[in-house]
Amino acid sequence: MAAPSASAISKLHPQPSADEATLAKLGYKQEFRREFTPLEVAGLAFSFVGVVPSIASVLFYAIPNGGPVAMWVFACPFIMCIGLALAELASAAPTSGGLYYWTYSLASPRCRNFLSWIVGYSNTIEMITGVASVNWACAIQITAAISIASGQTYTTTNQQLYGIYAVLGLSQAVLVSFGTKVLARLQRLFTLVNACLCFIIIIALPIATPSDYRNSANFALGGLTNLAGWPSGFAFILSLMAPLYTMGGYDASVHMSEEASNAAMAIPWAIVGSIAVSAVLGWGVNISLAFCMGTDVGSVFNSPIGQPMAQILFNSLGQQKALALWCLVIIAEYMVASNCLLVGSRQTFAFARDGALPFSRYLYRINRYTGTPVNTVWFSIICSLAIGLLSFVSTQAIDAVFTIEITASYIAYIMPITNRFVFKNDFKPGPFYLGKLSFPVSVIAVVWMVFMIFVFFFPATPQTTAQEMNYTVVVLGGFMFLATSWYYLPVYGGVHWYTGPISNYTPAIRGENKDEDSISERNMMPISMFQRWMYK
């Protein structure tokens, strides 16, 4: 009998791709289809930022606290330091788990389980509040469009806002439940819409703005508006919320690592590239708005339309053109929210794969028809719908989701970046590596994030009531208290069974790569009895 040919053996036992081999070294088998090209990953990172709709969402933070331009230039270098520090980690270990996986891999064995747990839950709340904040902003933008169309006579109620918010979320859950190939190709459309919107605001808005609303360079670039009542210096610091929220979510592309080709290079460059492009375009958009908003900043901030940017467009373009452009902003915001849900569902899937979430045995499932984690998509939307109920507490309570997203993400970012240098570990850089600049860049990033976490616990004005307080510390603190309590719960808590990332790669791939090392392979823990029960 003739021996099988090499080609026949290859067909029976196909060799894993470089991405699959890298993932196997990190302890995981390939479960998703790698349909995202490097350009589509970069497009996802850029459209996740959504420069114009995101600026529109938080312009109410910038206008009363110094104006939209100066804080943007000040914040961008620090934002880039965070992105560079995360890009190095993403290149070394490109997995959907990302932050909590890196934290576990780089921490001391004495504390890595707990730190990984806290980072995983911080990352989860970041993603869920990200969906909530973008959809809430989109709901407000839709009511602003109705106000423009009705001649500014329409007023909305919380019930109507929440109804719009719920419809947005549920429709996005249907969209994001599609297959990976569809979602990857959609990034091309999302990127095009967001880029075109930026150039329309930067180029067309100044041309169309009447002279009555055009500002001088001295006012637009050098004026300092302070309507909140804080000292001017601190008001300026509070205005940093705008660029930090707009260009936040640096880990978005990280959670798509297992669906991207050439992930070790595509992911870090998507992080850095999206920050650089968004910084430049965002600066241009803010300058355009500053030159076209007129000198009566108070009327823009307290607009009957309910949206400062919508009022600027209305003043400059008139009702019909402003409405048309504002509808494009709403579409772009919807795309941002869809990508938030897409990325969040992958992070939740990864955390459930390692058994850390309640109902992990239901969440760690891939739909047989779409090849995507449909269960985690709907889990994320249900959680965001629950968070939306804060709108019935007060405006300040629901507005807190914007700062919660930033503070939760910073908690999750600080830990792995710090662990890399504080603990003794076997970190091995990937193809994206800063060399000697790694440490100073990481220090700047961590110091900046720690400082801004405390800043975002402050209320919008110095004179505040219990109803008008900043609910960030209450909601985020309450969530983290529950996560910590769940970890230390007697008998059933995570301290008794959570052992960090769970290896699920096949023996064949493991054998093929047994001579290679990674930052995490030697730390991968076997599945515990409790986690085995969760997966039954």
Side-chain angles (χ1 to χ4, degrees):
M1 182 176 180
S5 65
S7 60
I9 294 175
S10 178
K11 290 179 181 179
L12 290 172
H13 303 284
Q15 294 297 309
S17 68
D19 286 307
E20 291 177 8
T22 299
L23 186 62
K25 288 188 287 180
L26 299 176
Y28 298 117
K29 64 183 179 181
Q30 184 68 47
E31 297 179 275
F32 294 108
R33 300 185 184 98
R34 291 188 179 269
E35 298 284 359
F36 279 78
T37 66
L39 282 178
E40 287 166 344
V41 173
L44 178 141
F46 173 70
S47 55
F48 183 92
V49 170
V51 176
V52 172
S54 295
I55 290 175
S57 302
V58 291
L59 198 59
F60 65 90
Y61 276 97
I63 286 180
N65 294 302
V69 178
M71 49 75 187
W72 195 273
V73 177
F74 181 80
C76 285
F78 297 102
I79 293 173
M80 181 57 77
C81 285
I82 300 171
L84 287 169
L86 292 176
E88 284 194 299
L89 295 172
S91 182
T95 172
S96 296
L99 299 161
Y100 78 86
Y101 183 99
W102 305 335
T103 298
Y104 180 90
S105 301
L106 299 171
S108 166
R110 293 175 297 177
C111 59
R112 64 190 182 191
N113 288 351
F114 175 70
L115 294 181
S116 174
W117 176 279
I118 290 299
V119 168
Y121 273 97
S122 295
N123 202 192
T124 301
I125 192 62
E126 172 209 347
M127 292 299 167
I128 293 172
T129 53
V131 175
S133 65
V134 178
N135 273 336
W136 187 254
C138 193
I140 293 175
Q141 289 167 4
I142 289 173
T143 60
I146 298 173
S147 179
I148 293 173
S150 65
Q152 304 185 35
T153 60
Y154 172 78
T155 56
T156 188
T157 65
N158 275 352
Q159 289 81 2
Q160 292 170 335
L161 271 173
Y162 186 82
I164 297 171
Y165 171 86
V167 170
L168 290 170
L170 294 173
S171 63
Q172 288 154 4
V174 174
L175 175 64
V176 176
S177 295
F178 288 164
T180 302
K181 187 173 184 178
V182 174
L183 298 172
R185 300 300 95 84
L186 278 175
Q187 300 311 314
R188 302 177 184 183
L189 173 63
F190 291 3
T191 303
L192 179 64
V193 170
N194 277 280
C196 289
L197 196 52
C198 289
F199 288 112
I200 291 173
I201 298 295
I202 293 171
I203 299 172
L205 183 62
I207 295 173
T209 300
S211 58
D212 292 345
Y213 290 104
R214 291 181 185 171
N215 294 324
S216 65
N218 184 55
F219 179 89
L221 303 178
L224 179 65
T225 305
N226 186 355
L227 304 177
W230 288 105
S232 295
F234 191 70
F236 173 79
I237 293 174
L238 287 177
S239 74
L240 295 170
M241 165 66 184
L244 295 182
Y245 175 83
T246 300
M247 291 189 285
Y250 323 109
D251 58 319
S253 54
V254 170
H255 302 300
M256 304 305 295
S257 294
E258 296 176 29
E259 294 168 78
S261 58
N262 193 19
M265 282 298 289
I267 302 303
W269 279 111
I271 296 172
V272 175
S274 66
I275 293 174
V277 173
S278 300
V280 174
L281 292 178
W283 182 66
V285 168
N286 276 288
I287 286 180
S288 179
L289 294 174
F291 273 99
C292 301
M293 68 170 54
T295 55
D296 190 358
V297 178
S299 65
V300 173
F301 181 67
N302 298 305
S303 162
I305 294 178
Q307 252 287 344
M309 185 182 286
Q311 184 64 52
I312 295 171
L313 298 180
F314 183 86
N315 293 341
S316 298
L317 305 175
Q319 183 183 32
Q320 293 184 348
K321 292 180 181 178
L323 182 60
L325 183 54
W326 192 246
C327 287
L328 188 59
V329 173
I330 293 171
I331 292 171
E333 188 79 290
Y334 184 88
M335 294 174 175
V336 173
S338 299
N339 273 348
C340 286
L341 180 59
L342 168 62
V343 169
S345 67
R346 275 37 176 188
Q347 187 277 335
T348 305
F349 172 85
F351 207 32
R353 176 173 60 187
D354 292 323
L357 289 172
F359 313 112
S360 285
R361 59 175 170 168
Y362 301 108
L363 296 176
Y364 176 42
R365 292 184 182 179
I366 294 180
N367 186 277
R368 68 177 67 180
Y369 300 106
T370 66
T372 56
V374 173
N375 289 8
T376 58
V377 171
W378 288 92
F379 172 81
S380 298
I381 277 298
I382 290 171
C383 290
S384 71
L385 292 177
I387 290 175
L389 295 174
L390 287 171
S391 62
F392 296 104
V393 176
S394 70
T395 301
Q396 287 72 23
I398 189 63
D399 285 348
V401 298
F402 293 92
T403 49
I404 288 171
E405 183 197 4
I406 298 175
T407 50
S409 67
Y410 281 6
I411 292 171
Y413 298 163
I414 287 170
M415 205 65 69
I417 295 173
T418 303
N419 287 358
R420 176 183 167 186
F421 298 100
V422 170
F423 295 111
K424 183 179 180 180
N425 52 64
D426 59 348
F427 176 78
K428 292 184 178 180
F432 185 95
Y433 181 48
L434 298 178
K436 293 182 180 179
L437 292 177
S438 295
F439 181 72
V441 165
S442 297
V443 169
I444 293 171
V446 169
V447 171
W448 170 259
M449 288 188 285
V450 170
F451 173 67
M452 293 310 301
I453 285 174
F454 286 104
V455 168
F456 289 139
F457 288 155
F458 281 82
T461 61
Q463 294 81 30
T464 188
T465 64
Q467 191 175 18
E468 295 173 344
M469 66 173 283
N470 186 339
Y471 280 81
T472 300
V473 67
V474 176
V475 179
L476 179 61
F479 184 88
M480 297 312 299
F481 174 78
L482 291 175
T484 305
S485 300
W486 168 227
Y487 184 79
Y488 285 110
L489 186 70
V491 182
Y492 300 105
V495 68
H496 302 290
W497 49 265
Y498 179 69
T499 55
I502 302 170
S503 175
N504 71 352
Y505 58 88
T506 63
I509 294 181
R510 185 176 186 178
E512 291 166 3
N513 299 281
K514 64 184 178 180
D515 294 328
E516 302 185 47
D517 197 10
S518 73
I519 67 169
S520 308
E521 186 177 8
R522 68 178 181 84
N523 291 330
M524 190 65 68
M525 297 295 291
I527 189 168
S528 68
M529 293 182 64
F530 184 86
Q531 289 163 313
R532 288 182 188 278
W533 173 82
M534 293 181 74
Y535 289 126
K536 286 181 181 178

